[in-house]
Amino acid sequence: MPGLFTIAKKELLDIVTEKKFLLIFATLLIVVLVSTFQGAQNFMEMSSSSSAYTTLEFSTSGNNSEPQIKTLSIGSTNLYWALYSMVKNISTVGGLLAIAISFDAINKERLSGSLKTLLSYPVYRDSVLGGKYLGGFAAITIVTLTTFMAGIGVFVGVTGTPLTFDNTARLLIFLGMSVVYLALFLGIGLLLSIVLPEPSTSLLAAIIIWLASTQLIPNLGWAIASIVYPFSFTTSGNIGKFGPSSAHELLRKVITGISPSASFEQTVSGILSTSKMEFSGYTHVNVPISLGQALMTCLPNLIYLVALLVVVFAACYVTFTRQEIR
Amino acid sequence: MYRRMMAMSTIIDVRNLTKRYGDLVAVDHVSYEIHEGEIFGLLGPNGSGKTTTILMLVGLINPTEGTAVISGYDVIKQPLEARSSVGLLPENAGYYDNLTARQNLSYYADLARVSRVLARKSIDELLDLVGLSDWKNTKVQAFSRGMRQRLGIAQSLIRDPEILILDEPTQGIDPEGTRDIRELVKELSKERGKTVVLTTHLLHEVDKLCDRVAIMKQGKLIALDTIPNLTNQIKAEEGADFEEVFLRFQGVM
């Protein structure tokens, strides 16, 4: 495609020299470094105390008897708990950065009149779109790599956790997923800049989508699931359980799964969960989760994110190539 | 002169070009030929369809009906080939304010796949030609409207095209700048052999510049000829200037 790399190179240079980019990038870097440092310290504390828990299951032997603790599943000292804040910050601040890069990629040029000049050159519109996206993608990759390296550096430095083959593979998949996730927000910003004529409108629309993805849909999922399936004490045979039912969890996951941010966090939490600690009766059991198992668990979310990225880019392509430039 | 032009080959061939926006017909079955080396004026009041016609010629708008062929290439079927021979100065053209004049031209030269060595030479020559040599390393955000138009003309020449399409090249420019641009267009046509298609509201400029003119009204082509022939057609009094001729065609006088 003639002109693709020329446009991408210019786009990348424009992005990395813009003040808004540098400001959000610096914020993301600082927030990730601080939160990863805290996460690493918590990780070390948890390694020694193992105090967190998520689900309490217990059994009853009769109608009037006291319930007996049967099983307690606890959040173990795995990579996810240590890097939870880093994942959360990439999900929120990273998404915002991706939007900030692309929300005015096309409509700014259309308003200034430079798009007409650009498209009068012997370049396909695919090249313009691809170049803009590629430039933004390169910027996003630089951001993700830098943030990731810095965050992992702090984590390893503080905890002394060895980077085994398994850990490294999980971290690399986390890195790849972060790039895919941010590329999706980049695409959403680009699509809005094609569809909406004013940069201020596309920025507003992009922020609304970002808020819906990071806050509204996850909260809504929790609220709807809690209304439809409230927390309750349930028994199955002689096993009793207090907390969200499996139907509640399923409904919550289905609703929150619509949100790219929640889907990204669910995927990464699955990948980074190296083990799950359980105990039967009163004995702790550390159950390792292999990389293969982790990948299988988060495969639907992974496919959803990639599919969403493809759909958004296809929408950009169809809209832009058919648009009249006046 | 017209006979000389007739002997030249057709470089732009427009046949029944039409553009509709719902019920509005912006360009209505317009047909004309433009010959190699001529300066062709496309005239008409605001909303007459001049800019829409130009945007269809460079493939930025798809025609509803009709065809346009540039240098033997259909603008719809072979857009890249057709655009390769055209340099466009769009109406209200914008440039990259964060780049200098030289960087802007260098970017366009890259897009046009002009070699680095040739581009460096051409950029200096073009900036000199349009009188921007002293500002070549100044960011475009500091440029006045006239300087931007000059940069636009340099931009349209960066790939040394056979055809120059200039949409309102003198819009918002002072008389001195207008004269400079007029002289530049003349030079490009007569000395460098460029075919120039231009739209303008400055009718006295047309009188001094154009070999032939097409007059448009409400999307329709209402007249197409040399200025002396058009003057004869409406039997204007001796000494009537082109502005008067134009207004009579528009039905204003």
Side-chain angles (χ1 to χ4, degrees), chain B residues 168-202:
Chain B
E168 303 283 359
T170 51
Q171 192 181 42
I173 298 187
D174 58 33
E176 193 186 341
T178 303
R179 189 197 60 209
D180 290 348
I181 287 176
R182 185 180 67 222
E183 294 307 315
L184 183 60
V185 170
K186 265 187 190 169
E187 186 189 326
L188 290 169
S189 171
K190 308 305 170 201
E191 291 176 24
R192 299 194 182 199
K194 309 285 179 203
T195 304
V196 181
V197 180
L198 69 91
T199 73
T200 180
H201 286 293
L202 300 177

Side-chain angles (χ1 to χ4, degrees), chain A residues 140-172:
Chain A
I140 283 294
T141 307
I142 292 168
V143 167
T144 316
L145 254 177
T146 313
T147 311
F148 179 82
M149 298 295 273
I152 299 302
V154 167
F155 171 70
V156 172
V158 172
T159 62
T161 304
L163 285 178
T164 59
F165 174 77
D166 185 73
N167 281 352
T168 310
R170 286 170 194 268
L171 290 172
L172 286 176

Side-chain angles (χ1 to χ4, degrees), chain A residues 260-299:
Chain A
S261 307
S263 209
F264 165 71
E265 287 171 28
Q266 281 173 22
T267 309
V268 174
S269 76
I271 295 290
L272 295 181
S273 292
T274 49
S275 64
K276 190 169 94 169
M277 199 176 281
E278 294 181 347
F279 70 88
S280 285
Y282 298 99
T283 313
H284 290 247
V285 182
N286 199 5
V287 183
I289 303 169
S290 72
L291 182 59
Q293 283 174 311
L295 270 173
M296 287 309 290
T297 315
C298 58
L299 201 59

Side-chain angles (χ1 to χ4, degrees), chain B residues 55 151 196 250:
Chain B
L55 295 180
L151 179 64
V196 181
Q250 292 292 333

Side-chain angles (χ1 to χ4, degrees), chain A residues 2-3 6-7 9-10 14 17 109 112-125 322-326, chain B residues 19 21 52 55 59-62 80 83-84 88 90-92 94 96 98-99 107-108 110-111 113 116 155 158-159:
Chain A
T6 305
I7 296 168
K9 195 173 89 181
K10 181 190 172 293
D14 282 353
T17 51
E109 287 223 27
S112 74
S114 57
L115 191 61
K116 275 191 283 192
T117 312
L118 182 62
L119 289 173
S120 73
Y121 276 75
V123 290
Y124 287 115
R125 290 194 190 187
R322 292 181 180 183
Q323 212 164 44
E324 298 205 326
I325 311 297
R326 306 197 74 206
Chain B
K19 182 67 192 177
Y21 294 102
T52 307
L55 295 180
L60 296 180
I61 291 179
N62 287 330
L80 247 55
R83 266 183 260 161
S84 294
L88 172 72
E91 188 183 15
N92 299 321
Y96 301 105
N98 58 331
L99 303 181
Y107 176 57
Y108 289 119
D110 277 352
L111 282 177
R113 281 166 283 165
R116 286 278 162 100
Q155 168 278 124
I158 194 74
R159 52 192 142 148

